[in-house]
Amino acid sequence: MRLLQLQSDGGVKFAEIYGDIPAYAILSHTWGADADEVIYQDIITDRGVGKSGYQKIRFCVEKAANDGLKYFWIDTCCIDKSSSAELSEAINSMFRWYQNAAKCYVYLADVSIRGWGREHDPEIDDTRTLIFQQRFTRGWTLQELLAPAIVEFFSAEGERLGDKKSLINQLQQVTQIARGALEGDPLSSFSVDERMAWTNKRKTKRDEDAAYCLFGLFDLHMPLLYGEGKKRAFIRLLREI
């Protein structure tokens, strides 16, 4: 597994780890413009510091260090997407990577701490529900929400907003995911139809990802065939199920 590791000079380098994987944090975030995101090649060549997406790396460095974690994983740069074989392996492994993370940090780049309100303030519930509607209707956030045991939410300023447990009412209302699934019950205890219902109205940038982002929910692996279209991808997914 390829992880990011903080260096003594404050920078980050890749650590290729095989066998026993050390404790690590993982990031859930919204992608910005492609040109703004720090990608694999930027880390290799030390060219990513000037990109706006580097803020998410700094955020992870700080939070992981505070939690005593030396390693962390971010999908924008820890996958060499120029390699179709590596991309396929990553998408087929991603649910497990989120599941095995010591902590998952949800970075809400468009949410200010000033607009969040106090904990347990009923007047702010509608605002929080709207925030989660904007965030958790994306396809990939389904596994990012369900797989990790510990999910913590942070504002654009890096302030902690709560965790999956404290915010479960809003999350359940927005996603319509069974409360037990959010609390960590095995996904196999929910029917195929029920798990499929959690995917309703979710959007992905690429059509095929609407099916590919569900691999972990059904504990299966499939080759990626970008270009096959959403319908064919779902037909293959249902055959595997």
Side-chain angles (χ1 to χ4, degrees):
M1 185 178 186
R2 182 182 296 124
L3 295 168
L4 286 167
Q5 182 179 20
L6 177 64
Q7 303 298 297
S8 58
D9 61 1
V12 293
K13 296 290 185 182
F14 286 131
E16 301 279 354
I17 301 173
Y18 303 94
D20 293 334
I21 305 297
Y24 62 92
I26 202 163
L27 182 69
S28 174
H29 66 106
T30 301
W31 281 50
D34 289 345
D36 295 334
E37 293 293 351
V38 178
I39 61 175
Y40 170 81
Q41 288 77 13
D42 292 327
I43 300 294
I44 294 294
T45 58
D46 292 322
R47 292 183 304 187
V49 177
K51 291 188 172 183
S52 59
Y54 202 83
Q55 168 60 26
K56 288 180 278 194
I57 294 178
R58 292 194 184 97
F59 164 81
C60 267
V61 166
E62 177 185 337
K63 298 307 173 188
N66 288 343
D67 288 329
L69 300 170
K70 297 180 180 179
Y71 301 92
F72 56 97
W73 187 92
I74 303 177
D75 58 353
T76 48
C77 56
C78 288
I79 306 170
D80 180 3
K81 299 175 185 66
S82 66
S83 166
S84 58
E86 182 168 325
L87 179 60
S88 180
E89 179 185 1
I91 288 180
N92 276 283
S93 304
M94 204 172 295
F95 188 92
R96 175 167 48 86
W97 291 347
Y98 275 91
Q99 193 173 46
N100 292 340
K103 283 193 173 183
C104 176
Y105 305 134
V106 179
Y107 182 62
L108 301 172
D110 55 349
V111 176
S112 170
I113 187 66
R114 294 184 296 275
W116 183 254
R118 299 184 303 276
E119 285 293 329
H120 309 303
D121 181 353
E123 295 183 1
I124 207 68
D125 280 353
D126 289 343
T127 299
R128 293 182 180 177
T129 297
L130 177 60
I131 288 170
F132 285 142
Q133 283 175 339
Q134 295 169 339
R135 176 72 176 85
F136 287 106
T137 53
R138 291 174 50 245
W140 290 105
T141 56
L142 184 57
Q143 66 173 7
E144 295 167 10
L145 184 60
L146 288 173
I150 300 176
V151 181
E152 297 181 336
F153 299 84
F154 294 87
S155 72
E157 298 88 354
E159 297 291 331
R160 191 177 187 275
L161 304 174
D163 57 26
K164 185 162 62 169
K165 182 178 180 180
S166 67
L167 298 169
I168 195 168
N169 289 333
Q170 287 99 338
L171 290 169
Q172 202 279 325
Q173 179 182 349
V174 167
T175 63
Q176 297 298 300
I177 297 172
R179 193 179 185 94
L182 291 170
E183 292 175 338
D185 290 350
L187 296 183
S188 58
S189 63
F190 301 93
S191 70
V192 170
D193 287 345
E194 187 170 8
R195 279 177 277 174
M196 277 294 185
W198 303 339
T199 72
N200 288 343
K201 300 179 181 179
R202 289 181 174 270
K203 299 178 181 179
T204 56
K205 184 176 181 179
R206 302 188 68 168
D207 285 348
E208 296 86 356
D209 283 341
Y212 299 166
C213 71
L214 306 181
F215 290 173
L217 267 70
F218 298 101
D219 192 23
L220 55 82
H221 296 79
M222 285 172 42
L224 307 186
L225 299 174
Y226 282 111
E228 67 177 327
K230 181 177 179 179
K231 183 178 179 179
R232 289 179 181 270
F234 263 103
I235 289 173
R236 288 200 299 126
L237 178 72
L238 292 173
R239 284 174 179 166
E240 288 294 324
I241 292 171

